[in-house]
């Protein structure tokens, strides 16, 4: 990174992207406690709700798969700022649409639009790569993760409270937050990608299959892409099953689920915002990533086996170690591509995550609907998948540089 284009982590650009991320994710978190019950109301049954929740999540992920590479390449060509602003405005429109939804098909349309507009996270991660040096990136991505966690702390908790006023109210508040994020970014967010570092747009790189070629350019990059796929596949058990499971297994309501999700967000925020930088400094990116994947595996086992609501909540603590994995995984991947390919890399990454997001929600929704007598089995299956990811991560990045500086060997 050229000295004149480098930003310190303390400079305002980081704060701007942090606040924008918080507002966007807070808007998404607001609807988490009320969306599954709304789906169940439209579907008319518990099993139908599980399946439809999976289908709607898969639609969202399908749009991410198609659009993330395009948005990443557009941000490489035109800059990060316009992409983030346009996407944030689109999210505001999407929440209004979902607030007015009279049936499941209307919700499905909203999930399609939401998947397209939420692809702006590609540009957010590329933005952070622009303004940090390689040795800062694990910490920087930890801060982005902390921003997302902060949004999920406030969002579900507030959504649970607002849900008492009606299942549509959180959607309207989410629309207002996204509109405010757009206004905030339009007035304050600076551009991070200098003109001389931009890349011409080409459909050969911007289409989903073309963007994935970048991930095959390096042996370790390919292995880390597989880990990304498995990590996101396992994580969708939370987006599809967790809320419904809490309602039906433990008899919790929207308010309790909102508080529980807020606790999960607090723990994740602490891990990604405060812990990851210290652990990376001590162990390096590679070992920290593996520790996070193993911690997530143990957390999933604890969630799936918890016999009471109290132990179900307690399982969130080991599961929070999962937050060590994503920042270090992203950091290792960014160090293996050129600076003008960061947007393309993040687009390809989002495509890989979206492949998981297409199939995983339907899979876990089906598992949940077919396992009424063994409701925790979905979490145990997710634990096995994440354990495989931890093994691949360990083997794919194995090399002579295996210490505190291991994540920067190829910088």
């Amino acid at each position: 990174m050229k000295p004149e284009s480098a930003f310190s982590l303390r400079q305002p650009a980081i704060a701007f992207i942090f606040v924008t991320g918080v507002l966007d994710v807070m808007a998404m978190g607001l609807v988490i406690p009320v969306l599954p019950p709304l789906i169940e109301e439209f579907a008319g049954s518990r099993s139908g709700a599980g399946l439809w929740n999976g289908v709607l999540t898969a639609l969202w992920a399908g749009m991410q798969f198609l659009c993330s590479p395009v948005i990443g390449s557009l941000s490489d060509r035109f800059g990060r700022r316009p992409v983030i602003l346009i996407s944030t405005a689109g999210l505001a429109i999407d929440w209004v649409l979902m607030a007015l939804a009279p049936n499941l098909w209307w919700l499905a349309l909203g999930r399609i639009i939401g998947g397209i507009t939420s692809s702006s996270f590609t540009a957010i991660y590329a933005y952070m790569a622009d303004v940090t040096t390689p040795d800062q990136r694990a910490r920087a991505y930890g801060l982005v993760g902390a921003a997302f966690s902060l949004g999920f702390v406030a969002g579900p908790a507030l959504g649970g409270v607002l849900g008492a006023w009606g299942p549509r109210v959180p959607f309207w508040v989410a629309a207002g937050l996204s509109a405010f994020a757009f206004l905030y970014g339009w007035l304050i967010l600076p551009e991070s990608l200098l003109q001389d570092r931009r890349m011409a747009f080409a459909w050969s790189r911007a289409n989903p299959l073309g963007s994935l070629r970048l991930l095959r350019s390096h042996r370790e990059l390919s292995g880390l892409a597989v880990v990304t796929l498995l990590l996101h596949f396992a994580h969708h058990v939370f987006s599809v099953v967790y809320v419904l499971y809490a309602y039906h297994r433990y008899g919790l309501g929207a308010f309790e689920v909102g508080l529980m999700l807020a606790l999960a967000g607090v723990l994740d925020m602490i891990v990604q915002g405060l812990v990851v930088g210290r652990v990376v400094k001590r162990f390096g990116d590679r070992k920290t990533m593996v520790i996070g994947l193993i911690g997530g595996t143990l957390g999933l086992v604890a969630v799936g086996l918890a016999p009471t609501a109290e132990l179900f909540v307690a399982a969130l603590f080991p599961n929070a170690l999962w937050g060590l994995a994503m920042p270090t995984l992203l950091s290792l991947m960014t160090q293996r591509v050129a600076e003008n390919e960061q947007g393309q890399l993040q687009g390809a990454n989002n495509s890989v995550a979206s492949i998981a997001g297409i199939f995983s929600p339907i899979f876990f929704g089906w598992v949940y609907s077919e396992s009424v007598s063994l409701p925790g089995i979905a979490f145990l299956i997710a634990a096995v998948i994440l354990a495989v990811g931890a093994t691949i991560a360990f083997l794919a990045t194995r090399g002579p540089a295996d210490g505190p500086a291991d994540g920067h060997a190829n910088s």
Side-chain angles (χ1 to χ4, degrees):
M1 176 176 289
K2 297 179 181 179
E4 66 270 21
S5 64
F7 285 64
S8 165
L9 281 174
R10 293 186 176 88
Q11 287 194 346
I14 303 296
F16 299 154
I17 208 69
F18 183 90
V19 173
T20 302
V22 169
L23 291 172
D24 277 350
V25 177
M26 185 175 175
M28 294 181 187
L30 271 169
V31 306
I32 290 176
V34 294
L35 183 56
L38 186 61
I39 292 172
E40 186 169 358
E41 176 187 328
F42 287 146
S45 69
R46 172 184 169 183
S47 60
L51 189 58
W52 264 102
N53 202 21
V55 169
L56 293 181
T57 305
L59 280 175
W60 185 89
M63 292 301 100
Q64 290 259 305
F65 173 73
L66 294 173
C67 298
S68 289
V70 177
I71 287 178
S73 293
L74 286 173
S75 76
D76 282 340
R77 170 64 183 89
F78 298 105
R80 319 302 184 197
R81 184 177 186 271
V83 168
I84 292 171
L85 291 180
I86 292 172
S87 296
T88 303
L91 271 177
I93 295 171
D94 177 50
W95 294 128
V96 171
L97 179 68
M98 293 190 71
L100 300 172
N103 52 49
L104 284 168
W105 299 109
W106 195 299
L107 286 179
L109 176 61
R111 290 293 75 198
I112 290 172
I113 296 173
I116 296 171
T117 53
S118 295
S119 297
S120 63
F121 292 127
T122 297
I124 287 177
Y125 280 115
Y127 190 108
M128 296 302 280
D130 293 339
V131 301
T132 56
T133 56
D135 63 323
Q136 292 176 313
R137 283 182 189 154
R139 181 187 171 201
Y141 288 132
L143 288 174
V144 174
F148 293 168
S149 298
L150 179 58
F152 276 120
V153 170
L158 182 58
V161 173
L162 293 173
W165 294 83
R168 313 281 181 153
V169 174
F171 291 97
W172 288 110
V173 177
L177 284 174
S178 292
F180 182 75
F182 167 78
L183 181 62
Y184 177 87
W186 181 59
L187 292 174
I188 299 176
L189 188 67
E191 179 55 63
S192 64
L193 187 63
L194 301 180
Q195 287 286 346
D196 61 356
R197 303 182 68 184
R198 298 185 183 185
M199 179 183 289
F201 181 85
W203 282 110
S204 60
R205 293 190 303 269
N207 74 82
L209 297 180
S211 71
L212 295 177
R213 294 192 193 102
L214 178 65
L215 299 178
R216 300 199 302 268
S217 64
H218 190 289
R219 180 188 65 82
E220 291 184 11
L221 200 59
S222 299
L224 292 172
V226 174
V227 177
T228 300
L229 177 70
L230 295 176
L231 185 154
H232 284 279
F233 195 101
H235 201 270
H236 275 290
V237 73
F238 288 100
S239 61
V240 176
V241 174
Y242 194 76
V243 173
L244 290 171
Y245 184 74
Y247 283 143
H248 297 126
R249 175 74 187 275
Y250 304 107
L252 303 178
F255 180 71
E256 291 85 358
V257 170
L259 290 179
M260 190 167 56
L261 292 171
L263 173 61
V266 169
L267 295 173
D268 194 53
M269 182 173 58
I270 292 171
V271 170
Q272 296 204 55
L274 299 177
V275 177
V276 68
R278 292 176 171 83
V279 179
V280 167
K281 187 176 180 179
R282 173 66 179 86
F283 295 108
D285 285 341
R286 175 180 180 257
K287 290 179 180 177
T288 303
M289 172 182 63
V290 175
I291 290 170
L293 292 169
I294 293 173
T297 299
L298 296 176
L300 284 168
V301 171
V303 169
L305 296 179
T308 65
E310 291 77 15
L311 290 176
F312 184 63
V313 174
L316 294 174
F317 288 86
N319 191 69
L321 290 175
W322 202 338
L324 295 173
M326 182 55 74
T328 44
L329 177 59
L330 287 171
S331 176
L332 288 167
M333 296 183 83
T334 62
Q335 295 157 28
R336 287 159 174 80
V337 301
E339 294 299 319
N340 62 358
E341 294 177 317
Q342 295 298 330
Q344 184 184 354
L345 170 65
Q346 299 305 332
N349 255 342
N350 268 16
S351 286
V352 169
S354 300
I355 292 171
I358 293 170
F359 297 103
S360 175
I362 295 176
F363 171 74
F364 283 120
W366 172 78
V367 168
Y368 183 71
S369 66
E370 296 295 322
S371 59
V372 177
S373 60
L374 295 170
I377 193 67
F379 296 101
L380 301 181
I381 293 173
V384 172
I385 293 170
L386 196 60
V388 173
T391 304
I392 294 173
F394 177 79
L395 296 175
T397 55
R398 185 172 52 185
D402 188 17
D406 61 4
H408 316 303
N410 295 331
S411 299

